[in-house]
């Protein structure tokens, strides 16, 4: 389960970088260090097997592939936002437990539509 959390953090880092434009802004948005953002982005690049960012003179910019991947993440983050804002659980009920499918199931559903 910890692996899935790391993957989600990588995707959150990508999204935060795309929306803020800098690793410092992404770190502030997510409440983590700048090095944590850089590490997550590097791990994401390793996972997908390609460079997703253009690095020059200490700056980092998302490539076209990173922007396409970010757009593909819209449904995932919209669903998470709906779950976080859900008002259907009462305080006296047991906490909600989310089960994330194995990485292979998630990747296989996205791989066919990713346009790198």
């Amino acid at each position: 389960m910890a692996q899935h959390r790391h993957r989600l953090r990588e995707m959150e880092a990508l999204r935060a970088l795309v929306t803020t434009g800098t690793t410092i802004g992404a770190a502030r948005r997510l409440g983590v260090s700048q090095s944590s953002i850089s590490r997550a982005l590097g791990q994401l690049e390793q996972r997908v097997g390609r460079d997703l960012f253009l690095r020059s003179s200490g700056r980092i910019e998302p490539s076209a592939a990173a922007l396409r991947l970010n757009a593909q993440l819209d449904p995932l983050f919209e669903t998470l936002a709906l779950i976080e804002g859900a008002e259907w659980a009462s305080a006296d009920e047991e906490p909600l437990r989310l089960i994330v499918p194995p990485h292979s199931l998630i990747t296989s559903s996205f791989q066919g539509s990713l346009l790198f």
Side-chain angles (χ1 to χ4, degrees):
M1 185 77 149
Q3 273 187 326
H4 298 298
R5 271 181 271 162
H6 293 296
R7 290 182 190 123
L8 183 58
R9 286 184 188 137
E10 293 165 8
M11 293 179 225
E12 287 175 322
L14 167 68
R15 197 151 187 89
L17 178 74
V18 169
T19 57
T20 64
T22 66
T23 54
I24 293 172
R28 285 186 185 136
R29 173 163 289 178
L30 297 178
V32 298
S33 68
Q34 181 182 5
S35 63
S36 176
I37 294 294
S38 295
R39 191 170 38 255
L41 296 175
Q43 290 169 338
L44 179 61
E45 286 179 311
Q46 283 182 337
R47 192 175 312 287
V48 299
R50 66 178 51 223
D51 292 336
L52 294 173
F53 306 95
L54 310 171
R55 293 170 173 88
S56 175
S57 303
R59 297 194 47 87
I60 184 171
E61 292 183 38
S63 67
L67 295 174
R68 286 191 300 271
L69 176 57
N70 184 59
Q72 299 259 329
L73 295 173
D74 285 344
L76 171 67
F77 284 100
E78 288 169 5
T79 300
L80 289 173
L82 286 172
I83 291 169
E84 287 175 353
E87 303 204 10
W88 43 263
S90 67
D92 60 340
E93 290 183 17
E94 229 180 278
L96 175 66
R97 298 184 194 280
L98 298 178
I99 299 173
V100 178
H103 171 67
S104 59
L105 291 178
I106 293 172
T107 345
S108 64
S109 65
F110 282 111
Q111 278 180 340
S113 58
L114 289 178
L115 304 173
F116 288 108

